[in-house]
Amino acid sequence: MTPTNPNATPAAKLHRLGVLFVHGIGEQLRGETLRAVVDPVVKSLDLWLHGAARCRAEAVGTDAAQAWAAAMPDRIGSLATSARIREQALEMAWSGEWSTARLSAAQKAAVLAGPFWSGGATLSDAVAPEDADGPPHSVLHLHTVGEHYDVHEGTALLAECWWARSFVPAGPWALTGWTFRVLPLAVGMHFGDIVRRHFSQAADAPVGRLRRAWHAAAALLALVALLIAVPLTLPIQGLLMAIALLALVPISAVRDLARSLQSSMVGALGDSYLLVASPVSRAMIVGRCTRNLEWLCDRCDTVLLVAHSQGCAVSYLALTSSLPAELREVTWIGSGLRKLEVLRSAERDDTIVTAGWMVATMPFVLWSQITAIQENGLSWGNVIVTLLAVGFYLYGIVRLVLILRVGATAAWFQSWQTLGVRLSEIYATHDPVPHGPLFDQTTARHGELPSQPVNNQASWVSDHTAYWRNTEQVVLPLGLRIAAALGVPVDRLLASDSDLLARATRRRTHRVQALVLLRAITLLGGIGLIWLEADPFVHAGRALMAWAAGTIGFDAGTGTGVSQVLWACMRTAAWVVLPWLALVTAWRGWEAHEQRCVLLRRPPSSFIEFALVAVLVAAAAVPAGRAAAVAWGDPGAGAAIAVILVGSIFVAVMYVLSAQVPHRAFGFDGRK
């Protein structure tokens, strides 16, 4: 690492602050990350400022707001900002929406306790250059105006580190060979990490008995999943080898199809291969991040770095080679750094890879020995092989569970913190990539990193990609930190803002819990439908097994034809999927509405409330009418109706009840 001399006299720079966003795994287009991240951040900041200005206008009354706007000097702040301030002030003052009856005397006093009157966040000069050293970027303009027209303003240069296509793709055989070697280790360390975390939490004395029992049960389930999933990597590897052979066919369309299949199957391991096993690709990716960071430091006094997923590993490797003096803060979101460090260690330590292969192969060895004993009787050779297989199996399991490779990472963190760089991480509760903080109970001795758990959607599938839809815990706090670093703090524009943000976080947890219960309702409904429609599926399964054995045809002796089976599958899927889509759509509407209410500091609208309830009632009424008119006697339709009605009533009740909370949580009673 070569830190820049902090005592050197810097040249005049264009912007006070720069922020570099480093994307994760994927085939992102140039500028796509900048849009995906900066759009919600800037929109949230602007609505946050707009909401505070509306509260101020309501508190002082229409006449006072108009007088304040009319008395504004011709020029305040910079010339460009002056026009925006005047436009926003006039919009606030003459919008005709303010009514002092909305606020009580205490609420007016809370609003008027601060000096904020108006403000805004806008973007300009968004550019996605084609040259390698100039990253896609845009300029954020942020300003606030006080009661006496005192202006706080600043500009931040927001840039994207786009590394998705800065390297040569790996060859099919090179990637397949590396995946063949580390796949059992990658799968095993994922589930082993879950086992270790839950067991350590179950052994934590301060935790209550019920919670310890839950963690112990979760650890046992994860251990069972490890024992099942790791051996299943062997057929997956066979399929990958077949795809690699397909890529040798001298037909471009076939080769492209093989590469696409390989990329979709290998997924994250493909990008990990480039960072772990390909020095040239790693140098290309890390070099792009380093150059983009230097480009930003040349133009900004202070720099923040925000990385997601594999971008955390890319930025980590870049900072180990060069730490700019301008860098002040690094935030990692959904980081998979610990798992990548294990894979890097596997390049130098074959025993880690061997542990994965032991867990993958020993069950088949044990099965073969048990079969031999059943057929030929017990012998000393069988006993010795069985005992060795059991020993290797247990050794592999223990090694996968206890893999820890964070010591070197912690050393770098301590070095950066000594140089004045603030480090932090954000992880979703169900994000399978980080699966918790980098330093937990068993790794705390190596180092410390401020960690914040957030509630995205409580889904192992979507949590990793849902950070930028989490306004309350990720998007708005990131915007507030950017504003604070810019010298325009907007986190406490009104006296009640800090309490509002804390309550908004609790309300998000409440909504995510409702979504989890909706999934449970739909899952139980689907199981009930399959149970009631069991005959076609059972007959189809028996016929398929018999057909595979070559004894009878698909329809022979089953009494169920292909068309009947397909119709049963389609009907069951329709009764499960359609209600689920309706319920999730209603939940997303609920979330979007409440997120906007947080930013605008408003209680939920009654119109939105009744509209969502109407959607839910319609979701229940349509299939109910169909069943009554066509197939009322069908038990599957009856079960589907029950699922829809229960789910709809549940969400409707949850929404109606939760709609009463914002009247207290947001400091408004909602009375006209």
Side-chain angles (χ1 to χ4, degrees), residues 124-137:
S124 66
D125 195 26
V127 179
E130 294 298 332
D131 59 291
D133 294 329
H137 60 272

Side-chain angles (χ1 to χ4, degrees), residues 330-416:
V330 176
T331 300
W332 284 321
I333 302 176
S335 169
L337 183 58
R338 183 176 60 251
K339 295 178 180 178
L340 185 74
E341 286 300 291
V342 173
L343 293 177
R344 290 182 65 194
S345 299
E347 291 296 304
R348 301 180 295 272
D349 186 359
D350 289 335
T351 61
I352 302 177
V353 180
T354 303
W357 274 97
M358 286 180 178
V359 179
T361 57
M362 288 304 108
F364 298 99
V365 175
L366 290 172
W367 177 75
S368 65
Q369 292 303 309
I370 293 174
T371 303
I373 292 173
Q374 290 176 345
E375 294 179 353
N376 304 320
L378 188 63
S379 66
W380 282 108
N382 297 131
V383 172
I384 294 174
V385 173
T386 301
L387 291 177
L388 288 175
V390 170
F392 289 145
Y393 192 43
L394 294 177
Y395 168 80
I397 293 172
V398 173
R399 190 69 191 274
L400 289 179
V401 171
L402 298 181
I403 289 177
L404 298 174
R405 288 292 187 274
V406 295
T409 305
W412 282 112
F413 288 176
Q414 293 172 0
S415 173
W416 298 339

Side-chain angles (χ1 to χ4, degrees), residues 144-353:
T144 62
V145 185
E147 181 177 4
H148 303 292
Y149 311 106
D150 48 318
V151 178
H152 297 276
E153 62 178 322
T155 61
L157 184 59
L158 311 179
E160 163 197 326
C161 174
W162 180 69
W163 57 268
R165 299 182 182 178
S166 61
F167 53 85
V168 179
W173 279 106
L175 181 57
T176 300
W178 183 79
T179 304
F180 186 83
R181 180 172 180 267
V182 304
L183 186 58
L185 168 64
V187 175
M189 72 174 178
H190 172 74
F191 289 102
D193 193 41
I194 301 175
V195 174
R196 178 179 54 80
R197 287 183 184 274
H198 281 295
F199 264 131
S200 63
Q201 292 174 355
D204 192 1
V207 178
R209 292 183 179 179
L210 183 60
R211 185 169 291 274
R212 278 187 290 177
W214 183 88
H215 283 300
L220 290 175
L221 288 175
L223 181 60
V224 172
L226 183 151
L227 301 180
I228 296 174
V230 176
L232 289 178
T233 59
L234 297 183
I236 294 176
Q237 288 173 327
L239 183 59
L240 286 173
M241 292 294 291
I243 294 175
L245 290 173
L246 188 64
L248 298 178
V249 177
I251 302 176
S252 59
V254 176
R255 287 200 302 267
D256 293 342
L257 176 62
R259 287 182 180 274
S260 177
L261 291 174
Q262 184 186 59
S263 176
S264 60
M265 289 188 63
V266 174
L269 282 177
D271 286 344
S272 299
Y273 165 79
L274 297 171
L275 286 174
V276 171
S278 174
V280 172
S281 298
R282 179 171 62 247
M284 289 180 177
I285 295 172
V286 175
R288 171 63 64 88
C289 183
T290 302
R291 290 192 300 273
N292 290 164
L293 189 58
E294 292 174 350
W295 181 91
L296 201 61
C297 291
D298 290 341
R299 292 160 174 78
C300 304
D301 296 323
T302 301
V303 172
L304 310 182
L305 189 149
V306 180
H308 173 247
S309 186
Q310 195 81 299
C312 302
V314 173
S315 60
Y316 167 78
L317 294 174
L319 295 179
T320 57
S321 61
S322 176
L323 185 71
E326 294 83 358
L327 185 65
R328 290 293 178 269
E329 185 174 335
V330 176
T331 300
W332 284 321
I333 302 176
S335 169
L337 183 58
R338 183 176 60 251
K339 295 178 180 178
L340 185 74
E341 286 300 291
V342 173
L343 293 177
R344 290 182 65 194
S345 299
E347 291 296 304
R348 301 180 295 272
D349 186 359
D350 289 335
T351 61
I352 302 177
V353 180

Side-chain angles (χ1 to χ4, degrees), residues 511-525:
R511 288 199 310 274
V512 173
Q513 290 171 348
L515 182 61
V516 171
L517 291 176
L518 271 181
R519 292 195 191 106
I521 289 173
T522 306
L523 177 62
L524 292 175

Side-chain angles (χ1 to χ4, degrees), residues 5-73:
N5 182 11
N7 298 321
T9 303
K13 299 185 179 181
L14 298 175
H15 303 280
R16 184 184 305 175
L17 177 69
V19 185
L20 183 66
F21 299 98
V22 187
H23 69 76
I25 295 170
E27 296 293 330
Q28 292 86 349
L29 298 176
R30 191 176 184 87
E32 183 177 349
T33 300
L34 191 69
R35 177 190 57 77
V37 177
V38 173
D39 271 1
V41 169
V42 174
K43 287 180 180 178
S44 297
L45 274 177
D46 196 54
L47 284 176
W48 180 254
L49 295 169
H50 184 78
R54 296 182 71 176
C55 291
R56 167 71 66 166
E58 291 180 6
V60 302
T62 303
D63 294 339
Q66 291 179 357
W68 179 82
M72 183 178 294

Side-chain angles (χ1 to χ4, degrees), residues 474-513:
V474 179
V475 175
L476 180 60
L478 178 60
L480 297 179
R481 287 163 65 181
I482 291 175
L486 193 55
V488 189
V490 296
D491 56 334
R492 296 185 180 181
L493 299 176
L494 305 181
S496 59
D497 279 355
S498 59
D499 186 54
L500 183 150
L501 290 173
R503 290 177 181 269
T505 297
R506 292 195 294 270
R507 289 182 55 75
R508 178 172 186 86
T509 303
H510 164 76
R511 288 199 310 274
V512 173
Q513 290 171 348

